[in-house]
């Protein structure tokens, strides 16, 4: 996966010492690109010049170093989170800021340049990964995390990846540091791959949900399988009146065979429609006495479960009628 080499032999260069989530996840992204090129999924000729010739062999050759030594030419190397170049953010004026005020760290800079190659040039997918994974890591590295005061520790990716660093009472030698770095990259790569799969699945759900909305009455949509419908509905609500008017979705449960979920889309953690008050918290016979085929209704009222599609449809219609 990674071969740690002298800077003169390296194709990739980042900083040594204590590692952080931004350069670890950036390395994971580069490794994912390496896999795609090595497998033939992506042509290396399609990549920017800075990456060409660096993915011909495995493992990739990486140097972790505190600073670029005087007299060393790194023009032919991919240098990130060190050196003050295109993929560093430690310069006095940093290295760019998003429209929402979040500064780019090395991860964001790498993703901005290379993300499209892992996303089939889908701008939506590139932006979705940036918003749901990349920006939080960039925030942490730039000290932009919001203060959350609820008395509970919030475990974030910076802390999770940082936990792979050698402890003070362990070996502090370069070889062990690099071993820990590689373990952190493997963890980050798994997380990145799962986010990428998740967002690609959402993208693939768009046409299915759009067609179901087109076939719906405008208030209740029926889906033939469990899918990330809510993400799609909220995205489509920016431009589609029918999506904006949707109150409930019905889809098969992925927990109980034969059961169907009736759920309302949530915007800003607020459901568009809640189940009637008298249903909430009810289950089994108590719920079935109120609604035929009722299995369970969440205590907050954002969703309910029916024992069949037929009963789910009647339940949804009752909920909409009750709200009116």
């Amino acid at each position: 996966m990674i071969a740690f080499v002298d800077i003169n032999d390296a194709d990739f260069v980042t900083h040594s010492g204590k590692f952080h989530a931004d350069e670890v996840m950036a390395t994971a992204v580069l490794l994912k690109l390496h896999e795609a090129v090595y497998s033939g999924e992506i042509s290396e000729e399609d990549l920017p010049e800075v990456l060409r010739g660096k993915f011909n062999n495995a493992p990739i050759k990486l140097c972790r170093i505190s600073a670029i030594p005087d007299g060393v030419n790194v023009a032919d190397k991919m240098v990130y989170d060190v050196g003050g170049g295109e993929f560093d953010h430690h310069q006095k004026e940093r290295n760019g800021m998003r429209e929402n005020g979040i500064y780019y760290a090395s991860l964001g800079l790498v993703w901005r340049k290379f993300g499209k190659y892992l996303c089939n040039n889908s701008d939506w997918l590139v932006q979705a990964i940036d918003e749901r994974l990349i920006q939080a890591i960039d925030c942490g590295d730039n000290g932009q995390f919001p203060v959350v005061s609820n008395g509970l520790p919030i475990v974030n990716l910076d802390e999770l990846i940082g936990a792979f660093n050698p402890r003070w009472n362990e070996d502090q030698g370069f070889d062990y540091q690099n071993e820990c770095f590689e373990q952190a990259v493997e963890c980050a790569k798994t997380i990145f791959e799962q986010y990428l799969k998740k967002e690609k699945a959402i993208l693939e759900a768009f046409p299915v949900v759009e067609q179901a909305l087109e076939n719906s009455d405008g208030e209740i949509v029926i889906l033939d399988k469990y899918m990330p419908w809510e993400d799609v509905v909220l995205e489509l609500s920016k431009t589609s009146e029918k999506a904006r008017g949707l109150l409930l979705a019905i889809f098969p449960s992925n927990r109980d065979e034969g059961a169907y979920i009736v759920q309302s889309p949530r915007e800003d953690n607020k459901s568009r429609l809640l189940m009637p008050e008298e249903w909430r918290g009810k289950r089994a016979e108590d719920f079935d006495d109120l609604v035929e085929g009722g299995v369970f209704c969440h205590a907050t009222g954002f969703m309910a479960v029916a024992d069949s599609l037929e009963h789910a449809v009647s339940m949804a219609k009752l909920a909409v009628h009750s709200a009116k």
Side-chain angles (χ1 to χ4, degrees), residues 5-313:
V5 299
D6 180 86
I7 190 168
N8 292 306
D9 299 320
D11 289 321
F12 298 87
V13 180
T14 192
H15 72 74
S16 58
K18 182 179 181 180
F19 48 81
H20 310 94
D22 67 323
E23 82 270 14
V24 167
M25 188 65 78
T27 306
V29 170
L30 292 169
L31 279 170
K32 188 66 179 174
L33 272 168
H34 171 265
E35 284 184 4
V37 171
Y38 205 60
S39 68
E41 181 183 344
I42 296 175
S43 170
E44 191 174 42
E45 293 304 310
D46 292 334
L47 295 177
E49 185 67 32
V50 68
L51 289 183
R52 290 185 196 168
K54 297 177 175 57
F55 292 150
N56 294 329
N57 301 294
I60 67 169
K61 295 182 289 185
L62 174 69
C63 178
R64 298 179 66 235
I65 198 164
S66 60
I68 307 299
D70 291 340
V72 174
N73 183 6
V74 294
D76 62 341
K77 305 181 189 301
M78 169 64 197
V79 182
Y80 57 104
D81 212 26
V82 70
E86 181 181 358
F87 303 101
D88 192 12
H89 64 115
H90 295 101
Q91 302 91 321
K92 183 177 180 180
E93 302 300 326
R94 307 205 194 191
N95 202 347
M97 183 179 71
R98 297 170 177 85
E99 291 183 2
N100 62 3
I102 296 175
Y103 286 104
Y104 286 96
S106 63
L107 172 58
L109 295 167
V110 165
W111 185 249
R112 183 174 66 176
K113 184 82 170 184
F114 309 123
K116 63 181 180 180
Y117 300 102
L118 292 172
C119 294
N120 298 321
N121 289 309
S122 167
D123 292 337
W124 183 89
L125 192 52
V126 170
Q127 184 63 23
I129 295 291
D130 187 68
E131 290 177 355
R132 301 180 200 192
L133 175 65
I134 308 296
Q135 289 190 27
I137 295 174
D138 280 9
C139 270
D141 206 76
N142 282 303
Q144 291 183 288
F145 264 132
V147 176
V148 180
S149 301
N150 61 6
L152 295 173
I154 306 298
V155 178
N156 54 57
L157 276 174
D158 291 273
E159 293 177 342
L160 175 63
I161 291 174
F164 284 86
N165 276 285
R167 268 57 60 181
W168 69 273
N169 55 354
E170 294 181 334
D171 183 353
Q172 296 294 313
F174 288 149
D175 288 345
Y176 186 60
Q177 287 184 23
N178 288 341
E179 180 182 329
C180 292
F181 179 85
E182 189 166 9
Q183 291 173 356
V185 169
E186 189 61 32
C187 174
K189 184 168 171 287
T190 299
I191 293 170
F192 172 72
E193 287 173 341
Q194 294 308 311
Y195 265 88
L196 188 59
K197 288 178 181 177
K198 172 179 176 287
E199 299 305 329
K200 282 184 175 180
I202 293 173
L203 189 61
E204 291 176 8
F206 266 80
V208 181
V209 176
E210 282 184 295
Q211 186 60 56
L213 281 170
E214 188 61 31
N215 297 337
S216 74
D217 64 2
E219 294 180 328
I220 301 169
V221 67
I222 300 174
L223 302 165
D224 63 4
K225 63 176 62 176
Y226 178 84
M227 64 181 63
W229 64 272
E230 191 171 23
D231 298 271
V232 178
V233 167
L234 296 182
E235 184 67 27
L236 291 175
S237 293
K238 298 174 183 178
T239 55
S240 166
E241 186 174 340
K242 204 159 192 178
R244 284 195 295 272
L246 184 72
L247 297 176
L248 292 171
I250 299 171
F251 51 93
S253 170
N254 66 349
R255 179 179 295 183
D256 300 307
E257 187 175 357
Y260 278 77
I261 309 294
V262 178
Q263 184 174 323
S264 177
R266 288 165 288 190
E267 296 175 291
D268 299 323
N269 293 319
K270 184 178 180 181
S271 296
R272 291 182 180 178
L273 182 146
L274 293 175
M275 302 298 157
E277 181 69 40
E278 62 270 22
W279 296 6
R280 299 176 199 174
K282 295 290 194 301
R283 63 175 63 244
E285 291 83 1
D286 291 338
F287 191 24
D288 187 58
D289 288 343
L290 296 173
V291 183
E292 185 179 3
V295 174
F296 167 73
C297 183
H298 196 277
T300 63
F302 83 94
M303 60 81 73
V305 184
D307 63 6
S308 68
L309 176 58
E310 179 185 0
H311 288 147
V313 171

